[in-house]
Amino acid sequence: QVQLVESGGGLVQPGGSLRLSCAASGFTFSSYAMGWYRQAPGKECELVAAITSAGGSTNYADSVKGRFTISRDNAKNTVYLQMNSLKPEDTAVYYCNADPLGVQAMCSYDYWGQGTQVTVSS
């Protein structure tokens, strides 16, 4: 049974940093690409970062490029999102997901974890 548990969100001031974690279980983590998505009120769900199964390649949405870094530890079945220089427009619920063929740009998966809330505000 697939389980994804996101953590690490919180309230942070503009310019601050947060590190999100996603602990995965129920599948062969090292064989799956992973992605971080976010959903803000009134906005479309957005893929913000993706990483291949071995971690050799990453991709980012233009809105976060240069500020966010995705990484993974296959020994711990965990994917991370380091978020620096946070802006109010980064406020959203952040989710991770997995795909053996490469994560989808659209938020079309049937299963999602509970997500972690990130709020950027002074």
Side-chain angles (χ1 to χ4, degrees), residues 1-82:
Q1 180 180 356
V2 172
Q3 189 170 18
L4 300 167
V5 180
E6 300 90 348
S7 63
L11 173 64
V12 63
Q13 292 186 342
S17 297
L18 283 173
R19 189 195 195 203
L20 307 184
S21 299
C22 167
S25 60
F27 60 100
T28 306
F29 181 78
S30 59
S31 296
Y32 280 64
M34 297 295 297
W36 280 99
Y37 297 80
R38 66 186 180 187
Q39 176 78 67
K43 294 187 178 180
E44 293 283 329
C45 180
E46 176 185 23
L47 173 64
V48 296
I51 188 166
T52 52
S53 57
S57 181
T58 57
N59 281 291
Y60 299 92
D62 288 344
S63 57
V64 307
K65 208 169 286 184
R67 301 187 297 121
F68 290 11
T69 303
I70 188 171
S71 62
R72 65 190 296 158
D73 185 338
N74 285 350
K76 295 183 178 179
N77 286 5
T78 301
V79 62
Y80 304 97
L81 186 68
Q82 178 67 42

